[in-house]
Amino acid sequence: MEDPKEMVEVTEERVAPSAARLTESLRDIGYDTPTAIADLIDNAIAAGAREVHVDFEFHGRDSAIVVSDDGEGMPINGLHEALRFGSRRDYKPGELGRFGLGLKTASFSQCRRLTVLSKYRRGRGSVNRRTLDLDLVAARDEWLIHEGQASAVVRERDAQLGATGSGTTVVLENLDRVLNERTANSGVGKRRLKNASTKVAEHLSVVFHRYLSGSAAAGKVNIIVDGQKLKAWDPFASTCEQTQLLPGQVFSITVDGTAHDVRVQRYVLPAKNEFDTVEEFDALSGPLKWNRQQGLYFYRVDRLVQFGGWSGLRGLDEHTKLARASIDFPTELDVAFQLNVAKMKINLPPEIRPMLEKPIQELCIHAGERYRRAGGEDRVHSTKKSAGETDLLAVGVALRAAALRSGGLESLEKTLKLLKETSPSIYRNLGLM
């Protein structure tokens, strides 16, 4: 116990951050245009939206990006809170939101003026509107929102929202991070905005593919970008008969005395010669293309957070490019997975890393066998196989998979090394070269 005589009186002083400097620094958290728009769509889905529109409106320097939804909307106090940096609202387990920063940081990574219009389902039918303008914040060095003079885009969206049941519309203007000031009024600016629209559509079809297909627990959500309804890009070709589904795995991580499940599902995708057309194979390659698209796909509330690569469990390999695995973790494990503010990056928890090593190794053994069976690897001997050679390929992968599960993989590898020296033709036909 401290001696009262030695206790020092503490003087507390309030030191408020500079609004102008802090808002500028928060613009560089790490978003690009696709990930910023994805964060705004998180809010729409959390509000119960069944349809979300993303429109890139080119008007030169007055261009805007508009994200509108048919969710439940917000009352005026909810709108004020949504525009606060570090919202005070509590997030329940299973909600897409987390930090209370996404609306602001995502928007201002792309623009300097953010306007939110919202019509609350339980309200009297009026549209609430507030604007957060970084130029005003910089000039006054205060956290200010206002209902000042609206632009033509905002007025038009206000009228549209007023004619609907409920929903929220987010308007991004003064797009200094999207359009170059010098070329904003030219054809170059128009093409740049169009390119941004294309990249956003591609990204959203990947990140929200479970919602687009209707397989998400929250149900189906339609996303329309510049009038085009997006189609889900399923990274696992899960409806394809040729896709090999390995047994699922469930692991637990304990946080504050409570165990939470992490679910792993493993897929071996069809090889190129198993598709009806080359176009189908190319479509499944994904935005990162085949080699970089292999690996782990992390989901939080059915929303894809990070994909591609093996998170340090192994390296990328041409022979395992058909291997992909989904890892679903609950919001209660956000801290364990070190989810970042932009909700696009995680780190694999050290507790789960050793649990994943064997399942992932087994997945890669099966993927490698399928790759070789399809003749994906150039060989010295003929790629035309007899029935006996095909059977040996199955034996090779079965041996490795069984040895992995029994803990005898190291011993098997020593045996196979000797087999390679004594009977190289049999070794090759086992699919081990």
Side-chain angles (χ1 to χ4, degrees):
M1 184 173 180
E2 287 185 336
D3 186 343
K5 295 179 180 179
E6 296 181 1
M7 293 180 65
V8 179
E9 184 177 348
V10 177
T11 301
E12 295 180 345
E13 296 181 5
R14 187 184 300 274
V15 182
S18 165
R21 288 182 179 274
L22 187 55
T23 51
E24 290 294 335
S25 66
L26 288 173
R27 302 189 73 195
D28 297 311
I29 282 180
Y31 292 97
D32 56 14
T33 306
T35 54
I37 301 304
D39 210 338
L40 298 182
I41 291 179
D42 285 345
N43 295 334
I45 293 175
R50 297 293 94 186
E51 189 164 287
V52 184
H53 288 259
V54 182
D55 298 302
F56 289 75
E57 299 189 12
F58 181 75
H59 308 293
R61 290 186 177 87
D62 296 323
S63 296
I65 301 174
V66 183
V67 180
S68 54
D69 68 64
D70 62 354
E72 67 177 7
M74 294 176 282
I76 189 61
N77 60 327
L79 179 53
H80 286 171
E81 196 59 41
L83 288 170
R84 182 195 302 275
F85 279 88
S87 172
R88 290 173 178 168
R89 63 158 294 192
D90 294 325
Y91 291 96
K92 299 175 183 178
E95 281 199 70
L96 281 166
R98 169 159 175 79
F99 298 100
L101 289 170
L103 171 64
K104 288 76 64 178
T105 53
S107 299
F108 288 131
S109 71
Q110 307 301 306
C111 73
R112 296 192 63 82
R113 181 182 173 94
L114 162 65
T115 300
V116 181
L117 307 99
S118 198
K119 185 177 180 183
Y120 191 41
R121 189 181 302 276
R122 301 171 194 170
R124 297 179 180 178
S126 60
V127 176
N128 297 308
R129 185 186 81 230
R130 291 294 183 271
T131 295
L132 185 53
D133 192 324
L134 291 189
D135 291 336
L136 178 61
V137 172
R140 299 275 292 273
D141 200 14
E142 293 182 80
W143 307 92
L144 297 170
I145 60 174
H146 66 86
E147 190 185 9
Q149 184 175 1
S151 67
V153 172
V154 171
R155 291 196 301 273
E156 179 183 358
R157 294 296 178 154
D158 194 318
Q160 290 176 0
L161 184 56
T164 64
S166 67
T168 297
T169 298
V170 177
V171 183
L172 311 184
E173 298 176 288
N174 195 351
L175 302 171
D176 64 328
R177 296 288 181 88
V178 181
L179 297 177
N180 186 291
E181 173 68 20
R182 184 171 53 83
T183 60
N185 283 326
S186 68
V188 173
K190 188 173 185 178
R191 287 194 296 274
R192 186 162 184 173
L193 199 64
K194 178 59 179 176
N195 288 340
S197 170
T198 301
K199 290 179 180 178
V200 164
E202 183 180 65
H203 182 73
L204 299 182
S205 69
V206 175
V207 169
F208 295 102
H209 74 88
R210 290 183 178 177
Y211 289 91
L212 293 168
S213 68
S215 63
K220 185 178 177 64
V221 177
N222 292 318
I223 301 176
I224 298 94
V225 178
D226 283 338
Q228 297 296 314
K229 187 176 178 180
L230 298 186
K231 294 181 179 179
W233 180 78
D234 177 5
F236 312 112
S238 53
T239 60
C240 181
E241 290 183 4
Q242 287 77 22
T243 297
Q244 183 181 0
L245 180 64
L246 300 183
Q249 307 277 331
V250 180
F251 306 111
S252 290
I253 296 179
T254 300
V255 176
D256 296 329
T258 303
H260 300 283
D261 288 342
V262 176
R263 300 185 178 276
V264 181
Q265 188 59 68
R266 300 168 296 163
Y267 303 83
V268 180
L269 274 61
K272 187 173 184 178
N273 64 352
E274 295 177 286
F275 285 91
D276 292 333
T277 66
V278 175
E279 289 74 21
E280 287 180 306
F281 176 78
D282 290 340
L284 197 57
S285 70
L288 301 179
K289 305 310 176 187
W290 276 103
N291 265 8
R292 291 175 58 213
Q293 207 76 60
Q294 68 181 274
L296 306 179
Y297 288 66
F298 293 91
Y299 292 83
R300 174 184 180 272
V301 199
D302 286 317
R303 194 259 213 209
L304 188 54
V305 175
Q306 178 177 295
F307 57 93
W310 296 102
S311 295
L313 291 172
R314 59 180 294 122
L316 298 179
D317 189 327
E318 169 71 15
H319 305 113
T320 58
K321 69 180 184 180
L322 302 178
R324 297 178 185 176
S326 64
I327 298 181
D328 283 79
F329 67 92
T331 56
E332 292 91 338
L333 294 180
D334 284 348
V335 174
F337 276 84
Q338 298 178 38
L339 179 73
N340 73 340
V341 172
K343 287 178 286 186
M344 62 182 187
K345 191 176 187 307
I346 59 93
N347 285 308
L348 196 60
E351 304 97 308
I352 201 174
R353 188 175 292 274
M355 302 178 194
L356 283 173
E357 287 177 352
K358 284 188 177 181
I360 294 308
Q361 191 171 0
E362 182 182 19
L363 167 64
C364 290
I365 287 173
H366 283 274
E369 182 269 340
R370 189 165 205 168
Y371 176 86
R372 292 180 175 90
R373 184 190 294 273
E377 183 182 36
D378 293 329
R379 301 189 185 188
V380 175
H381 64 293
S382 171
T383 57
K384 185 176 181 181
K385 307 174 185 68
S386 68
E389 288 176 321
T390 301
D391 288 342
L392 281 175
L393 281 171
V395 170
V397 71
L399 278 173
R400 275 190 152 165
L404 180 64
R405 291 192 177 188
S406 67
L409 185 60
E410 187 177 346
S411 297
L412 177 63
E413 294 293 354
K414 290 180 181 178
T415 303
L416 292 175
K417 184 177 180 181
L418 180 61
L419 179 65
K420 181 180 181 181
E421 296 172 358
T422 58
S423 303
S425 62
I426 294 178
Y427 182 86
R428 283 196 303 268
N429 291 330
L430 281 169
L432 302 173
M433 286 186 70

XYZ file of all heavy atoms in Angstrom, residues 22-62:
316
model
N -5.460 15.667 -37.824
C -5.836 14.273 -37.640
C -6.647 13.755 -38.819
O -6.435 12.631 -39.293
C -6.618 14.096 -36.336
C -6.923 12.653 -35.932
C -5.652 11.817 -35.849
C -7.669 12.605 -34.597
N -7.584 14.568 -39.307
C -8.387 14.110 -40.447
C -7.519 13.889 -41.678
O -7.747 12.954 -42.453
C -9.505 15.119 -40.782
O -8.946 16.425 -40.910
C -10.571 15.126 -39.713
N -6.524 14.734 -41.878
C -5.638 14.548 -43.031
C -4.818 13.262 -42.893
O -4.630 12.521 -43.858
C -4.710 15.749 -43.186
C -5.400 17.034 -43.635
C -5.966 16.938 -45.043
O -5.465 16.136 -45.855
O -6.929 17.674 -45.332
N -4.343 12.976 -41.685
C -3.529 11.773 -41.496
C -4.356 10.506 -41.650
O -3.867 9.479 -42.124
C -2.855 11.799 -40.118
O -3.813 11.718 -39.085
N -5.639 10.553 -41.269
C -6.504 9.380 -41.374
C -6.863 9.036 -42.813
O -7.429 7.973 -43.079
C -7.789 9.600 -40.570
C -7.628 9.561 -39.045
C -8.930 9.959 -38.363
C -7.192 8.174 -38.580
N -6.509 9.907 -43.746
C -6.795 9.636 -45.154
C -5.875 8.550 -45.720
O -6.142 7.996 -46.785
C -6.637 10.900 -45.994
C -7.501 12.073 -45.571
C -7.443 13.189 -46.589
N -8.187 12.831 -47.794
C -8.086 13.476 -48.942
N -7.221 14.472 -49.079
N -8.808 13.107 -49.984
N -4.797 8.269 -45.017
C -3.777 7.374 -45.561
C -3.664 6.064 -44.791
O -2.577 5.529 -44.614
C -2.423 8.092 -45.585
C -2.439 9.310 -46.494
O -2.906 9.173 -47.639
O -2.002 10.395 -46.069
N -4.796 5.535 -44.332
C -4.798 4.267 -43.599
C -4.429 3.093 -44.510
O -3.879 2.102 -44.060
C -6.167 4.053 -42.920
C -6.246 4.918 -41.664
C -6.412 2.599 -42.582
C -7.546 4.804 -40.908
N -4.717 3.207 -45.816
C -4.317 2.137 -46.724
C -5.374 1.680 -47.709
O -5.206 0.669 -48.383
N -6.468 2.417 -47.829
C -7.499 2.061 -48.800
C -7.064 2.406 -50.226
O -6.326 3.372 -50.443
C -8.784 2.852 -48.541
C -9.541 2.535 -47.283
C -9.377 3.308 -46.137
C -10.472 1.504 -47.250
C -10.111 3.047 -44.990
C -11.219 1.245 -46.105
C -11.029 2.023 -44.982
O -11.759 1.768 -43.850
N -7.565 1.635 -51.191
C -7.638 2.106 -52.557
C -9.124 2.239 -52.879
O -9.968 2.006 -52.003
C -6.904 1.171 -53.532
C -7.419 -0.266 -53.468
O -8.501 -0.507 -52.881
O -6.729 -1.159 -53.993
N -9.474 2.616 -54.098
C -10.896 2.852 -54.397
C -11.754 1.602 -54.192
O -12.807 1.670 -53.546
C -11.067 3.398 -55.823
O -10.251 4.563 -55.990
C -12.517 3.781 -56.081
N -11.357 0.419 -54.697
C -12.205 -0.769 -54.484
C -12.421 -1.116 -53.017
O -13.545 -1.432 -52.602
C -11.436 -1.878 -55.216
C -10.658 -1.167 -56.276
C -10.243 0.124 -55.629
N -11.355 -1.070 -52.194
C -11.517 -1.444 -50.786
C -12.306 -0.383 -50.015
O -13.014 -0.705 -49.060
C -10.150 -1.668 -50.113
O -9.312 -0.518 -50.298
C -9.445 -2.872 -50.722
N -12.196 0.870 -50.445
C -12.978 1.932 -49.799
C -14.470 1.730 -50.043
O -15.290 1.809 -49.114
C -12.537 3.304 -50.314
N -14.835 1.448 -51.282
C -16.250 1.224 -51.596
C -16.770 -0.029 -50.900
O -17.910 -0.074 -50.428
C -16.455 1.125 -53.118
C -15.977 2.414 -53.810
C -17.917 0.861 -53.442
C -16.617 3.692 -53.297
N -15.932 -1.061 -50.795
C -16.335 -2.284 -50.088
C -16.675 -1.976 -48.636
O -17.634 -2.538 -48.082
C -15.228 -3.325 -50.171
N -15.906 -1.091 -48.002
C -16.181 -0.733 -46.607
C -17.516 -0.011 -46.485
O -18.265 -0.197 -45.516
C -15.049 0.136 -46.060
C -14.852 -0.044 -44.560
O -15.803 -0.485 -43.889
O -13.759 0.246 -44.046
N -17.848 0.824 -47.460
C -19.144 1.508 -47.433
C -20.287 0.512 -47.617
O -21.358 0.654 -47.015
C -19.193 2.575 -48.536
C -18.162 3.711 -48.429
C -18.381 4.707 -49.556
C -18.243 4.414 -47.073
N -20.068 -0.517 -48.419
C -21.107 -1.528 -48.616
C -21.299 -2.364 -47.355
O -22.411 -2.828 -47.075
C -20.765 -2.398 -49.841
C -20.901 -1.545 -51.109
C -21.673 -3.627 -49.929
C -20.570 -2.249 -52.391
N -20.243 -2.543 -46.566
C -20.395 -3.206 -45.262
C -21.485 -2.527 -44.442
O -22.324 -3.185 -43.805
C -19.081 -3.143 -44.472
C -18.036 -4.114 -44.984
O -18.392 -5.031 -45.745
O -16.857 -3.943 -44.624
N -21.469 -1.194 -44.439
C -22.451 -0.439 -43.662
C -23.863 -0.675 -44.194
O -24.826 -0.778 -43.423
C -22.131 1.060 -43.710
C -20.822 1.403 -43.037
O -20.366 0.685 -42.146
N -20.192 2.481 -43.458
N -23.988 -0.744 -45.514
C -25.305 -0.976 -46.116
C -25.847 -2.348 -45.727
O -27.017 -2.487 -45.364
C -25.199 -0.844 -47.635
N -24.995 -3.366 -45.796
C -25.430 -4.716 -45.434
C -25.796 -4.784 -43.957
O -26.790 -5.413 -43.570
C -24.329 -5.737 -45.780
C -24.153 -5.816 -47.302
C -24.660 -7.116 -45.209
C -23.011 -6.691 -47.751
N -24.992 -4.115 -43.108
C -25.275 -4.091 -41.673
C -26.619 -3.428 -41.381
O -27.268 -3.735 -40.379
C -24.159 -3.360 -40.934
N -27.052 -2.513 -42.272
C -28.332 -1.823 -42.098
C -29.492 -2.597 -42.714
O -30.611 -2.079 -42.802
C -28.261 -0.428 -42.719
N -29.227 -3.838 -43.151
C -30.292 -4.678 -43.676
C -30.623 -4.464 -45.133
O -31.696 -4.870 -45.603
N -29.720 -3.858 -45.887
C -29.985 -3.599 -47.305
C -30.077 -4.901 -48.091
O -29.335 -5.848 -47.842
C -28.883 -2.714 -47.888
N -30.986 -4.929 -49.045
C -31.107 -6.054 -49.979
C -30.576 -5.670 -51.360
O -30.358 -6.544 -52.204
C -32.556 -6.487 -50.120
C -33.207 -7.020 -48.856
C -32.591 -8.338 -48.405
N -31.519 -8.140 -47.426
C -30.756 -9.098 -46.963
N -30.877 -10.333 -47.402
N -29.817 -8.839 -46.072
N -30.387 -4.365 -51.567
C -29.875 -3.899 -52.852
C -29.015 -2.654 -52.621
O -29.415 -1.741 -51.892
C -31.029 -3.587 -53.811
C -30.579 -3.299 -55.236
C -31.733 -3.374 -56.228
O -32.184 -4.511 -56.521
O -32.185 -2.303 -56.677
N -27.842 -2.664 -53.230
C -26.917 -1.540 -53.095
C -26.484 -1.106 -54.492
O -26.100 -1.938 -55.321
C -25.659 -1.926 -52.277
C -24.770 -0.708 -52.069
C -26.049 -2.539 -50.937
N -26.562 0.195 -54.738
C -26.127 0.754 -56.021
C -24.849 1.565 -55.814
O -24.754 2.348 -54.868
C -27.203 1.662 -56.610
C -28.398 0.927 -57.127
N -28.596 0.667 -58.471
C -29.455 0.381 -56.471
C -29.723 -0.008 -58.626
N -30.273 -0.190 -57.427
N -23.890 1.372 -56.709
C -22.664 2.174 -56.716
C -22.592 2.853 -58.070
O -22.544 2.177 -59.114
C -21.408 1.302 -56.497
C -20.156 2.181 -56.459
C -21.527 0.487 -55.211
N -22.603 4.179 -58.073
C -22.599 4.938 -59.327
C -21.414 5.889 -59.382
O -21.167 6.644 -58.431
C -23.898 5.729 -59.468
C -25.119 4.817 -59.533
O -25.158 3.972 -60.438
O -26.015 4.952 -58.674
N -20.693 5.832 -60.490
C -19.582 6.752 -60.745
C -20.087 7.798 -61.729
O -20.246 7.518 -62.922
C -18.387 5.989 -61.319
C -17.695 5.103 -60.321
C -18.280 3.896 -59.925
C -16.476 5.461 -59.768
C -17.648 3.071 -59.000
C -15.841 4.644 -58.845
C -16.427 3.453 -58.462
N -20.374 8.982 -61.234
C -20.965 10.040 -62.052
C -19.887 11.025 -62.494
O -19.282 11.703 -61.653
C -22.055 10.765 -61.273
C -23.206 9.861 -60.850
C -24.374 10.653 -60.279
O -24.376 11.900 -60.429
O -25.279 10.027 -59.692
N -19.663 11.107 -63.795
C -18.633 12.009 -64.297
C -19.227 13.373 -64.633
O -20.105 13.494 -65.481
C -17.957 11.430 -65.544
C -16.870 12.324 -66.085
C -15.640 12.412 -65.427
C -17.082 13.105 -67.206
C -14.644 13.250 -65.895
C -16.092 13.944 -67.687
C -14.869 14.016 -67.021
N -18.733 14.380 -63.934
C -19.106 15.776 -64.202
C -17.853 16.638 -64.121
O -17.866 17.727 -63.536
C -20.142 16.282 -63.193
C -21.344 15.400 -63.048
N -22.271 15.220 -64.057
C -21.767 14.623 -62.013
C -23.215 14.385 -63.642
N -22.936 14.010 -62.410
N -16.750 16.143 -64.664
C -15.501 16.890 -64.568
C -15.058 17.014 -63.122
O -15.037 16.040 -62.376
N -14.695 18.233 -62.716
C -14.250 18.452 -61.327
C -15.386 18.260 -60.326
O -15.139 18.152 -59.124
C -13.651 19.858 -61.176
C -12.318 20.027 -61.878
C -11.684 21.381 -61.573
N -10.374 21.508 -62.185
C -10.152 21.935 -63.427
N -11.199 22.303 -64.185
N -8.937 22.014 -63.915
N -16.622 18.241 -60.807
C -17.778 18.023 -59.930
C -18.232 16.564 -59.941
O -19.360 16.256 -59.542
C -18.942 18.922 -60.357
C -18.616 20.399 -60.209
O -17.922 20.745 -59.243
O -19.044 21.188 -61.076
